[in-house]
Every structure is written in C-alpha cells, then in structure tokens.
Amino acid sequence: MLARELLRTSPDRIRAALAARGSDAPFAELLAADSRWREAQAELEALKAERNRGSKEVGALLAKGRTEEAEKVRSGMVKLGARVAAAEVEATALAEAVGALELVIPNLPHETVPVGPDETANRVEHSWGEPPTFDFEPRSHWDLGPALGILDFERAAKVAGARFAVLWGAGAALERALVTFMLDLHRGTGYREVYVPFLVNSDALIGTGQLPKFGADLFHIEGTELYLVPTAEVPVTNLHRGEVLEEASLPRRYCAYTPCFRAEAGSYGRDVRGLIRQHQFDKVELVHFATPETSYAELEVLTKAAESVLRRLGLPYRVVTLSTGDMGFAAAKTHDLEVWLPGQACYREISSCSNCEDFQARRADIKYRPSAGGRARFLHTLNGSGLAIGRTLIAILENYQHADGTVTVPEALRPYLGGLERLVPEQ
RNA sequence: GGAGGGGUGGCCGAGCGGUCUAAGGCACCAGUCUUGAAAACUGGCACGGCGCAAGCCGUCAGGAGUUCGAAUCUCCUCCCCUCCGCCA
C-alpha cells in the first residue's frame, strides 16, 4: 500500500513506476476515487459537527429545565439526522472504493532496480562456485530420486494428485535434515527461531499482499475463513501486525520453518516433472523488521544469510537483481538466488530475498517508535527464503551425483543424517 | 461442543444515556526547588483522518442497531479467563 500523501503529491512518479512494472493497476481510478472521497468526507464531517453542536444544546437546555426550547432544537436535529445518514452512506461507499483500489496497486521499485519487461532484464550481480563437470551425462533429480527409491511421484498422485511428492527413507530424512541444518545455521547468526500457524486468516494475507489480488494462488479451507500458508512470510510478518515496536529492538531477524501450499493456478504445463513446482513444499524463511534507514543494509544481510546456506552445502549459485517487470507485488527490490542444476544445465531460483520497504507495514499497520522520540513511523519489512527445501534437495541430488546413480551427501549435512556419506539405492 | 466471567489510553482502573473535552493512580517528559539526586510542587503526556490554517470529524475489542445524542441500551462476531465434555 502506498502512502496517500504520495498519491496526491507525486502521481507522475507512481505512473512511471507502474509503467516500469508493466502494471495495469487502476491508478487513475484510485486518484479519482480519493478525490471524491475527500469531498464527501468533508461534507459529512461538517454535518456531524452541526449535529454534535445541536445535541449538546439539547442536553444543556434540558439541564436548565427549558424543555420547550430543547424540543424545538431536537426536532431540527431529527431532520439533520437524515442528511447525516445519507452523507454517511455515500462517504462510506467512497472510502471502501478507495480502500479496495489501493490494495491492488503494487509497490514502487527502488531506483537501483533494473528497468525491463521480464526476467531477461534481470541483472546478474555475482556468482559463486563452479558448476561441476561430469564424465557422463548428468541425470535430472526426477530420474535419480525414483532410481534411488527415495522419490515417489506415482504414490503421491494416488493419495493427493499431481504436483505432490512422497519421500522415502533417506529422502525423507534428508528433507528433515535440511530443515534442521538451515534453522541451526541461522540461529547461530542472530536469527530468532519462531514456529507459527500453517493456517492464516485473510487479514494476514492482506497484510503481506497475497490478498485481495492473488486469492487464486491460495488453498482456502472450505467452511472457514482460513487459508493454508503459501509462505512463512505471511504468518511471521504478521506477528507484529498492529504493533508499535521500540526502535532499540530493531532490526529484528526471525527464521521459521513451515510447509508452503500453493494452488499454482495458471502454471499448467510448466515444470510438471519433478519437485520444482509442487502444491506443497517445505521452506525455511527469514524475515527482518528494520528502520527505513537500515533496510537496504538489512537486505544485504538477508541475502548473505541465504547465500551462506548454499556455500555451506557447496552448491554453485548466482545472485540476480530482479527487473521491474519480474518483481513481486509487494517488493521494492528483490535479489534472487539461483542454484545450478546439472540435470537442466541452467540456474534455477532457490531463494528470493526482498525489501518491501513500508508497503506491507502500511497494510499490516506495523510501526516503530523512534528512540529520539516523536510519533511512530511505519517500519520496513524484508523476507527471503533461506532456503526452499525441496529445491535444495534437487540441487544436492543433481550436483553430487555419480555415474552409478549414487549421490554424495554434502559434509555439512552428515551430522544430521547419522554420518551418512552417500545415498545408495534403497529397497 | 456446553456453562459462566471479562475486553476502557503505555499499565492499573472509574464511568453504565447529555460539559466524557474519558475521573483517579502508576509510568514517562519538562520545569521549580536542590551542590547533585530523591521527595514535593507545577505543567505536559493516545491514535487516525480531512483542512493552508483556525479547527473539525472519528476511535472505549470489531460490526450492526435504538436515540437529537451511546464507553454507557439492544443484537451479532472475535478474542481472553474459569469450569465441564471431547481429544494428540
């Protein structure tokens, strides 16, 4: 959500930003609705002021026993009441129109974001590690996993449907090991671990920006107002919804494990094989709350924390800055981490680290009180995967594979797997 | 799921149809006094919106209603507490 003041004072800046995003957001409608609402609101308040004066007078006259005069004023107020009611209906309708429109306007990109229509305009910042070379044709994880007996898509389809997976034996243990490994790593660098609900209400989803625009991407629990979390960003960011935090307590850095559930509407035919795009996947998420002055330094801290996971696992990756046309709705700037996947011979997204500035904080009403005193200000929120577990599992299988189909377990994970050094065929 | 009790400013807490412009206390800030501090005293001290401003409007968990007028009356919802039932 953008500041109302900004809409009124810098409409050109917003129009330019929306154009850079390739957004068709109804900004002109929003401006017009805001203008109409202000007019109606001023009229309503003038009528209410008049009624308040009259009502007070009725009370004063009654107190003095001048009942006839009081009755005269009262009957005048009855007529005024009808006008107030009518004005209120109009002002409320306009206020709702403004509120609905401003919830579908995306965030403004930061000035350092490359301008472009889609992912081809993304800027590669740097890369780490060398893609491994093989003296055989590297296999994809959807071949390796089932051959090892640790990945089972047929049975997943039987119990749930397409875009689900079953992990057996060492596969299931590896999934669990990755979660624990990542949480331990982040806890060791100052993140506070938090365990949160996997179902959230619509207020939370509005707060982080999934609603009202992207409801089709969510799983909704029939007969309730609850949704399955599409990312831990939603429950974790909303932990402080409606709160005012002390500046001295910032930055706050939280990490959380949750499964994530996404309807993946409209992605038919894309990444249908393997674990890449699932309705359910595990993720360790990082969320920061920061002051406006420090949020871009925090974005670097967040990105480095996500990178550290890949480095510890020895997985080659690169960091890209998303272009204006490729960024998410709530983000002002996003760094994607892309891990090398030998099976597809390309880099694929494994983490997305964003500074949402005050966009979510406005929607969720999250503020901080400056140490120097003064009124509370909206803080900045950031979030990033650290990392997506399923895609990490894919990267391990594909990067650490051998010609015989076995897979080396990265050293950093062995303590979490009872010292297991190599995945070999099961059953 | 059933029964009962509650939700008022940063905190405690009064108010139960009309100067509520929300008492009082605590905490906090400033000042007086003091070598300094404490104490005492004086003053200040919620948030949001509209407006150039003066100012006005709104907010007593949320919503709807009754009324000239609602923190106060009615209805609905949410949340918290206690007990019962069920349950990992």
Side-chain angles (χ1 to χ4, degrees):
Chain A
M1 199 158 82
L2 306 178
R4 292 273 177 96
E5 194 189 354
L6 193 66
L7 310 184
R8 295 163 191 164
T9 58
S10 313
D12 290 341
R13 192 184 142 199
I14 296 173
R15 276 188 277 264
L18 293 177
R21 271 184 174 270
S23 167
D24 59 354
F27 178 62
E29 290 90 322
L30 174 58
L31 268 189
D34 177 58
S35 166
R36 282 201 303 274
W37 167 73
R38 276 190 290 170
E39 208 172 305
Q41 185 67 16
E43 195 182 320
L44 170 65
E45 288 180 4
L47 289 172
K48 280 190 172 177
E50 198 180 333
R51 185 182 65 182
N52 288 348
R53 277 195 300 275
S55 294
K56 211 165 267 187
E57 199 182 341
V58 172
L61 290 170
L62 286 176
K64 292 177 193 160
R66 294 154 69 176
T67 53
E68 277 180 32
E69 290 167 76
E71 178 53 32
K72 212 168 148 191
V73 177
R74 197 194 66 81
S75 62
M77 288 305 107
V78 175
K79 284 182 217 148
L80 185 63
R83 291 174 63 199
V84 170
E88 188 137 45
V89 167
E90 192 191 346
T92 302
L94 287 166
E96 278 170 6
V98 173
L101 283 166
E102 74 182 342
L103 287 179
V104 301
I105 308 289
N107 201 0
L108 305 182
H110 189 256
E111 58 188 10
T112 57
V113 171
V115 177
D118 51 37
E119 69 277 5
T120 59
N122 293 350
R123 181 174 66 220
V124 178
E125 302 291 351
H126 65 267
S127 57
W128 182 91
E130 285 294 317
T133 54
F134 299 94
D135 52 10
F136 58 96
E137 187 65 30
R139 301 162 75 183
S140 63
H141 70 280
W142 57 75
D143 289 329
L144 287 163
L148 284 166
I150 63 173
L151 248 182
D152 185 342
F153 294 105
E154 282 79 13
R155 291 196 174 87
K158 179 162 61 184
V159 299
R163 293 203 190 280
F164 286 93
V166 165
L167 297 171
W168 291 101
L174 185 55
E175 178 90 2
R176 182 161 49 85
L178 283 166
V179 171
T180 310
F181 162 70
M182 290 185 200
L183 288 172
D184 284 354
L185 181 61
H186 297 310
R187 271 170 26 124
T189 56
Y191 282 85
R192 183 166 189 211
E193 184 178 348
V194 55
Y195 179 88
V196 293
F198 300 163
L199 295 173
V200 292
N201 57 38
S202 57
D203 285 341
L205 289 157
I206 288 168
T208 34
Q210 285 75 19
L211 288 179
K213 210 168 181 277
F214 306 103
D217 297 333
L218 303 168
F219 284 110
H220 183 218
I221 308 295
E222 198 178 350
T224 75
E225 292 181 30
L226 295 169
Y227 299 78
L228 288 165
V229 291
T231 160
E233 167 196 348
V234 179
V236 177
T237 304
N238 277 284
L239 287 174
H240 293 305
R241 191 167 83 237
E243 294 186 14
V244 179
L245 307 178
E246 291 300 326
E247 181 176 356
S249 75
L250 302 177
R252 292 180 187 229
R253 300 173 183 150
Y254 298 156
C255 64
Y257 155 75
T258 72
C260 304
F261 302 92
R262 299 187 182 177
E264 293 295 346
S267 68
Y268 309 107
R270 196 144 38 108
D271 300 318
V272 288
R273 298 198 72 183
L275 281 178
I276 293 274
R277 192 174 299 276
Q278 299 273 295
H279 286 312
Q280 173 187 326
F281 62 96
D282 285 335
K283 184 154 59 74
V284 168
E285 185 77 358
L286 307 172
V287 174
H288 294 204
F289 298 83
T291 63
E293 290 73 22
T294 61
S295 70
Y296 279 94
E298 286 300 307
L299 179 60
E300 296 311 309
V301 171
L302 176 59
T303 307
K304 288 280 180 296
E307 285 181 57
S308 73
V309 179
L310 290 166
R311 292 183 187 220
R312 290 285 289 270
L313 293 174
L315 294 168
Y317 68 92
R318 65 180 188 181
V319 180
V320 307
T321 299
L322 297 192
S323 72
T324 52
D326 200 25
M327 277 197 307
F329 180 75
K333 185 172 185 178
T334 298
H335 290 144
D336 268 11
L337 269 52
E338 299 179 339
V339 69
W340 178 256
L341 294 185
Q344 303 179 27
C346 68
Y347 285 99
R348 287 300 302 254
E349 176 188 342
I350 194 167
S351 171
S352 196
C353 303
S354 300
N355 184 356
C356 297
E357 298 190 0
D358 65 7
F359 186 83
Q360 293 179 327
R362 285 180 186 282
R363 297 168 77 103
D365 187 27
I366 312 173
K367 296 181 171 176
Y368 75 99
R369 190 165 308 283
S371 305
R375 54 200 289 130
R377 304 166 65 199
F378 288 112
L379 48 69
H380 283 193
T381 60
L382 303 92
N383 66 80
S385 354
L387 306 164
I389 305 297
R391 291 189 180 181
T392 307
L393 197 149
I394 293 171
I396 289 169
L397 292 182
E398 296 194 4
N399 281 280
Y400 284 97
Q401 64 178 298
H402 299 282
D404 63 359
T406 62
V407 173
T408 300
V409 174
E411 281 192 39
L413 286 179
R414 292 178 191 171
Y416 294 90
L417 288 164
L420 184 70
E421 294 178 10
R422 187 176 279 236
L423 302 176
V424 298
E426 296 187 9
Q427 297 298 320

